[in-house]
Amino acid sequence: MNWNILEKNYNKDDYIKNETIFALANGFLGIRGSFDEGNIIGHDGTYINGFYELNDIKYGEKFKGYPSQGQTMVNVANTKRVNIFFDDEKFDLNTGEIIEYERNLDMREGILKREIKWRSSQGKIIRLIFERFVSFKEKGLIFYKYNIIPLNGSVKVSFESILDGGIRNYSNPDDPRVASTSETVFETIENKTLDDDLYIYQRTKRSKKEYGVYLKHRILKGDLTRKRYYSKDDSSSIIFDFNLRRNESVSIIRNAFYSLGGLNFKLFEYLKEKSEEAYENGYDYYLDYQKKYYSDFWNNCNVEIEGDDKLLQGIRFNMFHILNSTGKDGITNIAAKGLTGEGYEGHYFWDTETYILPFFIYTNPEIAKKLIEFRYNTLDKAKERALQMNHKKGALYPWRTINGYECSSYFPAGTAQYHINCDIAISIKRYFESTNDENLLVKFGAEILFETSRLWMDTGFFIDGEFRINGVTGPDEYTAIINNNYYTNIMVSESLKFSVYVYNFLKKNYNKEFIKLINKIDLMEEEVEEWINASENMFLPYDKKLQINAQDDSFLSKPVWDLEKEKNFPLLLHYHPLVLYRYQVCKQADLILAEVLLNYKFDKKQIKKDYDYYEKITTHDSSLSTCIFSIAANYIGYLEKAYNYFMMTARTDLDNHHGNTKDGIHAANMAGTWLGLTMGFGGMKVYNDNIYFEPKVPKAWKKYSFKILYKSRRIKVEVDKQYIKYSLEKGDPVNIYHFNKHILLQSSYKLKNR
Amino acid sequence: MNWNILEKNYNKDDYIKNETIFALANGFLGIRGSFDEGNIIGHDGTYINGFYELNDIKYGEKFKGYPSQGQTMVNVANTKRVNIFFDDEKFDLNTGEIIEYERNLDMREGILKREIKWRSSQGKIIRLIFERFVSFKEKGLIFYKYNIIPLNGSVKVSFESILDGGIRNYSNPDDPRVASTSETVFETIENKTLDDDLYIYQRTKRSKKEYGVYLKHRILKGDLTRKRYYSKDDSSSIIFDFNLRRNESVSIIRNAFYSLGGLNFKLFEYLKEKSEEAYENGYDYYLDYQKKYYSDFWNNCNVEIEGDDKLLQGIRFNMFHILNSTGKDGITNIAAKGLTGEGYEGHYFWDTETYILPFFIYTNPEIAKKLIEFRYNTLDKAKERALQMNHKKGALYPWRTINGYECSSYFPAGTAQYHINCDIAISIKRYFESTNDENLLVKFGAEILFETSRLWMDTGFFIDGEFRINGVTGPDEYTAIINNNYYTNIMVSESLKFSVYVYNFLKKNYNKEFIKLINKIDLMEEEVEEWINASENMFLPYDKKLQINAQDDSFLSKPVWDLEKEKNFPLLLHYHPLVLYRYQVCKQADLILAEVLLNYKFDKKQIKKDYDYYEKITTHDSSLSTCIFSIAANYIGYLEKAYNYFMMTARTDLDNHHGNTKDGIHAANMAGTWLGLTMGFGGMKVYNDNIYFEPKVPKAWKKYSFKILYKSRRIKVEVDKQYIKYSLEKGDPVNIYHFNKHILLQSSYKLKNR
């Protein structure tokens, strides 16, 4: 069962949440797991990665540098909707009687299947089988398949296939985590009905983004008695009528092809041709590719856990959705909610670099590279943003964006999170250390590094020889606009150091490209010297009395929020920000995150002291927190805590821990699960041109395993109570370290577990 | 000339600014100084104090406790508009030729007069005389008077009198200091034309506030040849046609009567009757009252300066507008821009208590009392607000409001300015110390004091025996959400102390009322003990190295903004708030303000050190700043600086120092001028049940004088280079101090100036 998500009953209360759980996507196109036949509840959705509408951000008081336009991922035309009538009675799970019900998401193939035995109020018993998948072979393609069999007598079946361009986004003005308004964003340019096909071509009103979709139908089986067409401004449908006798089936395949449009692009001709090709190749052809694609994916990154199937299911579910939701073309990224819902308006955050990239770096570096490329492609906009924010030079990446422009409207927990800049820089470092991909540094990395480094020099300042950074917000959003956030400062220090390394590396090894680059961006040697100076003399707040690192300059002077007595979680929905800012209370890992990401810089004793202090005041109201606490707990030998936090992380969406899975998956948290397993229990660290493991097994598990791609080698790590085994599944022999013991891994190596 | 504001030429570029300068008001009703005949530029306005429309405050991300509704003072129906045609050519100063022009605001009478000799493009030369005043006798009443004489031949005159209910508010989405949107806010309930009268009755769409206005006409002189009527949904007019021969005049009086409406109130009947009464009594009757009213006002507060007429004019201009703009009924207050423009949406701020109240306390305590009463009348709303802001009890006054509910949308420089609470408390102390009005304490003051004190106990906390207040913003809006703002902490300390005093005073002297009150608000003796404890152990940040008081915990650790090199003022229009927050840079007096308001708590040496430090980093981008620096400079003997800052203050609006006088007067700054003269040059301080003077004369002046009402005595202080003279103009003999020398002032007392 751990390769599948099974739903055995239709439960109306879970429906909206399950639209997210059963969502499918391929990184370009995503559809929510809504019922084909619709439902009076729920919020159906179809999304194209990077496809957004612009909107005015309204402010009661607007200040200099506030972004005036926001971007919202739009819900595009729905192709999954059908209406099915049996003797003119509409099939609907909320009426009639459900005799059997099963929904099954197969994560090895990416196919969602639903089998139902239903009795209409007129007493007709029907078996219905629904299948769908979003193709990895053709990124615009979705297949839907239907099988309908009357089981207790003849029935007239009307099957209406709908192409609905009249959709809207979901909104809730009182929840800061979802969009506040919803309007029709499209104008329909073409809306056609042709033989058995439907076509729509729409353009967003403000961003002027175009897309179209072409929907074809193939009746595999069934006696068609009549065909009817309907068309409105922004939707159309075909109704196929059948007369079925008992046990006679109708089988229909619908293939929908989505594509972006654009100037001089013959969208209709393109889509018609692609759709016909898909029609000709057929369902099974794409399904075979689908199986192969997922098989390769799992082969690179599969994990196993013996002793807890539900947990294993959760981990795989997370990896599955991360793969599906991630843009892989260098011009799109992965939204906080992936392509599964509209929470956070489809925006990309630091989640990508800090949580999701490591997963791809160590399992599929080609995708990681594409995500870094996205940042390169938006570097010019980040430079523009730096100027808007009164910086003389450098780049300031947006806290939330789709197209590269900042669109966070509450700057204390938005733009003020300057750490996005060092998160990106450190992720390049991480990528490079694990891949040695010099090409990325030369083509993209160096320029990003240099421009973000520049920004820090213009943000911070030297005082008494120390470099300080004022007026930023760290990862913890319950503490805002503070001075010398430990996380930010140490991440900046490391990123500046890496910039200097890359500067020297390119100068020596890629001098031609180096010269070209420093000329392009006018980089002076003195600037680099300042980076060294700032990096080496970075101020890091420390409390001598408590002997802990301080989250920022003023954090420890505040009163402690009594979380033991607190009942109103998440605090942000119950307390005004000002109240939160007055206390020592953290939404999420902040200092502890620095200690996890830059683990090689901290000794365990210090991490333990810090952990003991900060754990007590952390609410984990952000889903980005528990995985980090799990990893840190593993470092310092708090195995039970490590296990408990990991368990809270692994099934966050499957078990709806935050109560808002309906708005989409928690993508960063999902990747965090994998980090928790590998960096936490596996004790995997990459630094100083080496890879280290310190595996531990939680009591509850018999055995677990994971795989790491490191410098083109695939290393499998298997851990049980007695033994730890390292296998080289791919690539040349490689040096690894096991609890500081050096091993030259040639094929496999087995050690006793301590 | 120093009793008048004269405009000798019509200058289009000054027109909008002068709409503010020549505005008239009586505390209830205000009209901008727009031309009666209209102008293609400008923004005409008519305002009723406390009359607002509601609007939704839009947030990109909305958090708990954010106000969802804003209030905006609305521009009500315009009665000043007339169209005058000479031989069908519209009179307009932008066409034809202006031969003579003079506009004269007489501040002794509150009358605005305009005399024009104008040649039409057809060559007709006409003399026009316009007069208007807003009555102090009847708060709803405005009189307009017109005299028209053709000087070089016969002319046909058409005089159209308009009642225009189709007006809108001014808006600018990019300036945080004015409203961001403008919509029609009214529905018109009645719009009547009756004989020579016009009437309109309107209701705001959301706040459901009603008002009406009745406009009557009296032709004093002139041969009426025809009358015509026009009426639209929300406006109406009457056209009077005359045939005039050379040197024959037409003289017309219009009286407009405004009133609020409401359930079961026969507004039309009421207004008709009041208008007829006004019509019968006639122009001169109200004018006489007007003169008397202003005469009494000036008699209580007149200042004189020999040696600088422009300055004297500026000071009187400021006092004039403060009087006019202040609500005097206990249910309205004074907006930041008075009743002269729509800047800051007509909101009331701390400006009232900190700047404007002292002026009234020492010249017209009855008005001061009414302003305090306003806060009492909105106390329940402040208690509601405290709960919204997660406080268990107490009252939190709104940073900006009309109806008592918070409507600031940017909380870091809005709601976070909790100091509004202690500003109100300290103003009650100031009022009481100068009036000994126990009645106010019993009726209003004590409850305000107790509830605001409670709030502080729930906001701050004890650490190592010291009381600290985190997460607030002080007066300086270029520094936000900080810990232990010196100003706030010391003001809170003083206000808690005063609360304890009032608690004991009432307990002893008004025990019945005391018992009733503490039962009503459930006040415990232990709470009062905590007030004592907090007050006595208030933490006040001090920098040992610099030997200065620190604006807050972190302020002095920031880099200093180099104001000498800076050219972009006001900074807030050129820099993102985050950038401002990173530096030592002040929008306005903050610590220095505390040292002025609580001057008796500071020694001059310390003020001097603080002044020397903070002056360098203060931009005075707020108009609330220079008057305070002037006063502080006087304390420490920086006479030249005191003089210069005073000069920057005194004519802020007349000379449009901030470039935005068009949006309305800077009311707090205006009152600040008077404070600068009396508290600054006069060295007037009231504390320990005594009044102190330490007068100094700036070099540029020969002599100056001012008057102070103190415990029902009116004291006149005259200062020249040789002598200082104290005269008791009214009341029993009183103890005063002159440079710590005790004087029992019986009639007058003259000393040599040192």
Side-chain angles (χ1 to χ4, degrees), chain A residues 55-90:
Chain A
N55 45 63
D56 290 328
I57 305 181
K58 296 269 174 59
Y59 302 94
E61 297 163 69
K62 184 182 173 194
F63 293 92
K64 164 77 172 79
Y66 275 28
S68 52
Q69 282 192 328
Q71 307 136 34
T72 302
M73 179 174 80
V74 295
N75 193 351
V76 297
N78 189 1
T79 51
K80 75 174 81 60
R81 270 305 305 284
V82 296
N83 286 324
I84 309 172
F85 296 86
F86 298 112
D87 292 340
D88 299 325
E89 178 178 345
K90 188 170 182 296

Side-chain angles (χ1 to χ4, degrees), chain A residues 167-180:
Chain A
I167 29 66
R168 291 192 180 205
N169 274 39
Y170 172 76
S171 71
N172 179 355
D174 287 322
D175 187 338
R177 301 169 300 181
V178 302
S180 52

Side-chain angles (χ1 to χ4, degrees), chain A residues 471-690:
Chain A
V472 297
T473 297
D476 166 28
E477 294 184 344
Y478 288 171
T479 309
I481 318 183
I482 33 70
N483 303 330
N484 296 304
N485 170 248
Y486 193 105
Y487 173 90
T488 305
N489 284 21
I490 196 166
M491 290 282 285
V492 170
S493 172
E494 280 295 283
S495 69
L496 290 173
K497 198 167 145 191
F498 185 59
S499 293
V500 175
Y501 169 82
V502 170
Y503 180 88
N504 291 323
F505 180 81
L506 260 59
K507 192 174 182 178
K508 191 170 158 200
N509 302 295
Y510 291 87
N511 195 262
K512 209 180 81 189
E513 291 87 346
F514 170 80
I515 299 286
K516 204 173 147 196
L517 176 58
I518 64 163
N519 281 338
K520 174 183 170 191
I521 67 172
D522 252 336
L523 185 68
M524 302 290 169
E525 189 81 30
E526 302 89 77
E527 291 184 66
V528 182
E529 276 157 28
E530 284 291 271
W531 300 349
I532 298 172
N533 191 3
S535 171
E536 287 176 355
N537 297 292
M538 184 64 67
F539 171 72
L540 298 171
Y542 178 77
D543 188 284
K544 280 185 189 153
K545 208 171 125 202
L546 295 168
Q547 294 191 299
I548 59 171
N549 291 312
Q551 187 169 309
D552 60 64
D553 278 359
S554 64
F555 189 80
L556 297 172
S557 74
K558 301 178 187 176
V560 170
W561 192 294
D562 188 350
L563 288 180
E564 291 202 357
K565 283 194 192 146
E566 183 60 58
K567 282 170 189 158
N568 298 310
F569 296 102
L571 300 185
L572 76 98
L573 294 185
H574 298 92
Y575 295 93
H576 190 281
L578 208 46
V579 179
L580 300 172
Y581 298 168
R582 283 192 191 117
Y583 289 86
Q584 289 188 46
V585 62
C586 301
K587 187 176 174 193
Q588 62 209 97
D590 188 294
L591 173 70
I592 300 299
L593 178 60
E595 296 182 337
V596 164
L597 295 179
L598 306 178
N599 45 52
Y600 53 92
K601 295 190 70 76
F602 294 89
D603 75 64
K604 291 186 179 181
K605 274 186 201 156
Q606 188 59 52
I607 297 180
K608 189 167 177 305
K609 277 185 186 142
D610 295 342
Y611 186 100
D612 288 345
Y613 191 87
Y614 288 97
E615 188 194 24
K616 287 195 195 77
I617 52 175
T618 303
T619 60
H620 309 294
D621 281 348
S622 160
S623 67
L624 278 57
S625 191
T626 50
C627 60
I628 303 303
F629 270 82
S630 174
I631 296 170
N634 257 317
Y635 287 171
I636 55 180
Y638 285 180
L639 292 190
E640 202 176 320
K641 281 181 189 291
Y643 177 77
N644 291 337
Y645 280 121
F646 186 73
M647 296 304 284
M648 287 160 72
T649 307
R651 292 180 57 91
T652 289
D653 284 311
L654 272 183
D655 295 343
N656 199 10
H657 285 163
H658 287 263
N660 63 349
T661 290
K662 66 176 176 53
D663 298 325
I665 55 164
H666 296 77
N669 171 87
M670 286 180 153
T673 308
W674 187 86
L675 300 182
L677 190 73
T678 54
M679 293 175 67
F681 295 108
M684 191 268 289
K685 300 178 184 178
V686 176
Y687 63 94
N688 283 350
D689 210 28
N690 281 310

